[in-house]
Amino acid sequence: MLITYALTTGAMLKGRIKRIPGNVFRLHRRSGIYFGAFILGSFIYGLLMRLQHGEPVLSSVHGKLGLIIVLIVILQIIPSLVLKNRASYRGLHKIMGYSLAPILFVDASWGLYNGVTQGTKSLVLLHSISGGLVALALVWVLLEVRYPADRSLTRVRIASYFATLLVIAGCWLAGGYNYLTVYGSRIKPVILEGPYPWAHEIIMEAKEHVFVFLPVIALALSLTLYVLDRDTFLNDVSFRRALGTTAYLALFMVLLMFLMGAIISNTGKIGAEV
């Protein structure tokens, strides 16, 4: 939420999306500081937990990405607070800000996957990371629809195409292949014989239905934006509201699949230990 707020206000300051009334710079700076403090605190907490359990520090990809995120946050916040002439630093600040969001989503997806499954099967990892990036792209769509500017239609099309590609390739194909080749023969029997068979009987059954409809919704959103003209996008509020509702639905389904996937993976791990 904090990074979304920081990116939104930053885009408003740059003129990429419609600006809201009030002191946007103050909001941007405040959200950036809060976000930086949260990231730094999370990183320190993670280091302390690994040291407490006697585990190697920064040996995993998740830990190294976390260090990169912390360095980017520090390089963003400290100079912007210290330097009086921010014009020379503004370009680098913008690049780091836009690069921070996808790295953070990848790291969060990686950490969630490892924390639940304690493994790094490539297809499941690709499935998880794709879901995180799809969520980021859909947030981008929502921001462009909510605060439209002159070039918003071009950017929202790119974001929707990116989301649809990842949904089909990463979520649908990779996830579906893993379901057919690994889950059905190895994980499903373990869950059904374990203490929580409802994880497959209810959660996985529900996820399968979401799995079928999510690419259809993402593709419908992309096709609608492809045929939409600029004047309608900028001037028709009800049309943008419909686009936003569709994007919200897709985002909700992605986050729901994240939650259901975590539950299923965790119950599979518990079943294997029983």
Side-chain angles (χ1 to χ4, degrees):
M1 181 63 70
L2 286 173
I3 189 173
T4 302
Y5 201 72
L7 288 173
T8 303
T9 51
M12 288 178 179
L13 289 171
K14 192 63 179 176
R16 294 187 181 277
I17 59 177
K18 185 179 179 181
R19 192 164 181 159
I20 60 175
N23 193 332
V24 178
F25 175 74
R26 181 181 297 176
L27 295 174
H28 178 67
R29 182 176 60 181
R30 185 177 300 172
S31 60
I33 292 173
Y34 290 161
F35 172 71
F38 173 77
I39 290 296
L40 185 59
S42 300
F43 184 74
I44 293 174
Y45 175 77
L47 287 179
L48 291 176
M49 288 298 100
R50 294 191 72 88
L51 290 173
Q52 184 177 350
H53 291 87
E55 299 175 352
V57 177
L58 301 179
S59 60
S60 65
V61 176
H62 176 62
K64 293 174 182 176
L65 286 175
L67 178 60
I68 293 173
I69 291 171
V70 169
L71 292 176
I72 292 176
V73 168
I74 292 174
L75 290 174
Q76 270 204 305
I77 295 178
I78 300 300
S80 62
L81 294 176
V82 174
L83 294 177
K84 294 182 179 180
N85 182 15
R86 301 187 184 93
S88 59
Y89 179 71
R90 196 167 294 157
L92 181 60
H93 181 83
K94 180 181 68 175
I95 292 173
M96 288 191 297
Y98 285 137
S99 63
L100 179 61
I103 295 174
L104 182 64
F105 271 79
V106 169
D107 190 43
S109 302
W110 200 304
L112 175 64
Y113 171 77
N114 285 335
V116 172
T117 65
Q118 294 183 349
T120 53
K121 298 180 181 66
S122 57
L123 278 179
V124 181
L125 187 58
L126 174 63
H127 180 62
S128 179
I129 291 175
S130 296
L133 293 176
V134 168
L136 176 62
L138 290 172
V139 170
W140 182 6
V141 170
L142 289 169
L143 290 176
E144 297 287 358
V145 170
R146 179 67 178 82
Y147 306 105
D150 289 340
R151 299 182 60 186
S152 287
L153 182 57
T154 301
R155 292 192 295 267
V156 77
R157 282 172 175 168
I158 294 173
S160 68
Y161 299 160
F162 181 66
T164 302
L165 175 64
L166 286 177
V167 165
I168 294 175
C171 299
W172 219 26
L173 295 180
Y177 181 81
N178 181 76
Y179 180 88
L180 294 174
T181 58
V182 177
Y183 178 84
S185 59
R186 301 180 189 177
I187 311 300
K188 177 182 174 181
V190 173
I191 294 177
L192 292 177
E193 294 173 4
Y196 307 110
W198 52 264
H200 173 79
E201 297 169 347
I202 299 176
I203 304 296
M204 178 53 85
E205 291 294 333
K207 188 181 180 185
E208 290 173 2
H209 287 79
V210 176
F211 173 84
V212 171
F213 285 103
L214 179 59
V216 177
I217 294 175
L219 186 60
L221 180 63
S222 294
L223 290 176
T224 303
L225 288 168
Y226 176 76
V227 300
L228 188 64
D229 63 273
R230 179 176 174 274
D231 291 337
T232 302
F233 178 79
L234 292 177
N235 301 321
D236 194 332
V237 178
S238 60
F239 205 101
R240 289 204 313 273
R241 188 178 295 116
L243 290 172
T245 301
T246 306
Y248 270 121
L249 176 61
L251 179 60
F252 171 75
M253 294 172 76
V254 169
L255 297 178
L256 185 62
M257 288 187 72
F258 254 114
L259 176 61
M260 291 189 292
I263 294 173
I264 293 165
S265 297
N266 195 44
T267 52
K269 183 177 67 175
I270 293 174
E273 294 173 351
V274 173

